[in-house]
Amino acid sequence: MAQASGKVLLFGEHAVVHGIPAIAAAIPAGVQARTSGAERHGLVLRAAGSPAEVARAEAGDGSRLGDALAALLAALPDTLPATGLELTSDLPFGAGLGSSAAIAVATARALDQRYGLGLDEDALFAAAMAAEAVFHGNASGLDPAVALHGGLLRFERGTPPQVRQLRCPSALELVIAQVEAGADTRRMVEGVAALRAAHPGPVDALFASIAAIVASAEAALARGEQERIGALMDLNHGALCALGVSTPALDAACHAARAAGALGAKLTGAGGGGCMIALVPSHQAAQVARALQPGSLHLLRTPLTGMEKP
Ligand code: PMV
């Protein structure tokens, strides 16, 4: 059995695609993969706790999942015999919590274990990136990096990407709420690229502002300054609104969380729907969760520290 965790993007989504650093944390939910015999390469995806299939695909069948599997297999150093993959996820799909990268990393790990490929982290990352490029188009690589390494990470796109573990001395508690169905990440990333092409000066100024937010957040995390971290989340949400990736429902959920006592709130991931996160003082967590519950498809309360490698 192989596994990989999902993530929340704390700071820097979208700007990270354009070379700005971002900060993300693994969450205690993810994807498990096991291999089985098969006549063709293929996979079956189920939600944890349910025998029903969410999706089924064969490598290269023209579906995004099937084409991602084909790309992952092509990026491996060896040609493998036909293999079936059984994937179980306790992450909501397409909600901005990194489900596609967790699928890719868990799949690469399962194949590595099954065939003794001896893949190191760079080779696992390369295989997962090949799949992620099919899912996301111009993917930064942040999601596969968190799925692979776990923990609290600063990530900067590049060849190779720069990945650094961060430490935060105080226990941060997040409420994560899926407030509506997620949008297509690829479409959201393309939307920001189109906005940048139309208005390069203003959009680059927003990216520079997000870079400053990320740098301040790194310092605030290192000192465990919760109120400052929360305020920076609010600022980052504002910049994401300006980039056109928030929605009325995400904005309303952020307002509701702040009114219920959150220190800060923002959308997380690609936006256009999906999830928001709120940083909460422990004694306010239940109140914030209650304020978000009515509109939430999925709600998770999680401490940020103590998220270890899967
Ligand atoms: O919504 P998610 O989990 O797919 O997050 C995507 C993060 C982006 O910055 C929007 C895209 C990327 O590849 O970094």
Side-chain angles (χ1 to χ4, degrees):
M1 175 80 78
Q3 55 185 7
S5 52
K7 64 99 196 39
V8 284
L9 247 154
L10 297 173
F11 297 99
E13 52 272 88
H14 283 292
V16 69
V17 173
H18 302 271
I20 304 299
I23 298 174
I27 56 173
V31 173
Q32 299 192 321
R34 71 173 86 232
T35 57
S36 61
E39 284 177 14
R40 298 204 179 98
H41 288 298
L43 57 79
V44 175
L45 184 59
R46 294 186 178 83
S50 165
E53 291 179 11
V54 174
R56 173 181 282 273
E58 279 186 4
D61 64 4
S63 70
R64 213 174 267 182
L65 203 53
D67 288 352
L69 177 61
L72 186 148
L73 289 163
L76 295 175
D78 299 298
T79 304
L80 303 181
T83 307
L85 288 138
E86 306 263 338
L87 302 169
T88 308
S89 173
D90 54 8
L91 289 169
F93 298 103
L97 298 183
S99 57
S100 60
I103 287 171
V105 171
T107 297
R109 281 190 169 135
L111 293 170
D112 183 41
Q113 287 172 12
R114 168 81 172 76
Y115 295 108
L117 302 175
L119 302 179
D120 61 14
E121 293 202 330
D122 288 348
L124 287 168
F125 181 77
M129 262 312 270
E132 193 71 344
V134 176
F135 285 124
H136 282 193
N138 183 12
S140 68
L142 171 66
D143 288 12
V146 184
L148 196 59
H149 299 290
L152 177 64
L153 290 185
R154 179 192 186 275
F155 175 94
E156 194 170 344
R157 182 173 198 169
T159 321
Q162 290 176 38
V163 181
R164 185 152 46 82
Q165 290 281 347
L166 303 179
R167 298 228 66 82
C168 177
S170 69
L172 302 179
E173 192 159 343
L174 287 183
V175 173
I176 305 168
Q178 185 181 355
V179 298
E180 57 193 327
D184 182 13
T185 298
R186 179 188 274 256
R187 193 170 58 74
M188 299 309 294
V189 168
E190 286 169 0
V192 173
L195 192 69
R196 188 185 190 201
H199 309 284
V203 171
D204 281 347
L206 284 169
F207 289 162
S209 161
I210 292 172
I213 291 168
V214 171
S216 295
E218 198 181 331
L221 282 164
R223 290 197 282 265
E225 293 170 344
Q226 303 231 10
E227 293 197 353
R228 204 164 142 224
I229 297 165
L232 290 164
M233 288 169 67
D234 291 344
L235 278 170
N236 199 160
H237 184 75
L240 289 164
C241 289
L243 288 174
V245 298
S246 191
T247 66
L250 285 167
D251 291 344
C254 289
H255 285 299
R258 291 176 198 132
L263 298 171
K266 64 183 277 293
L267 72 84
T268 185
C275 288
M276 56 79 70
I277 54 174
L279 179 66
V280 290
S282 261
H283 64 282
Q284 301 278 56
Q287 195 174 315
V288 172
R290 262 197 310 278
L292 295 170
Q293 187 79 62
S296 299
L297 302 176
H298 191 91
L299 198 69
L300 186 67
R301 248 180 82 177
T302 183
L304 245 186
T305 51
M307 291 175 182
E308 297 304 332
K309 287 190 177 208

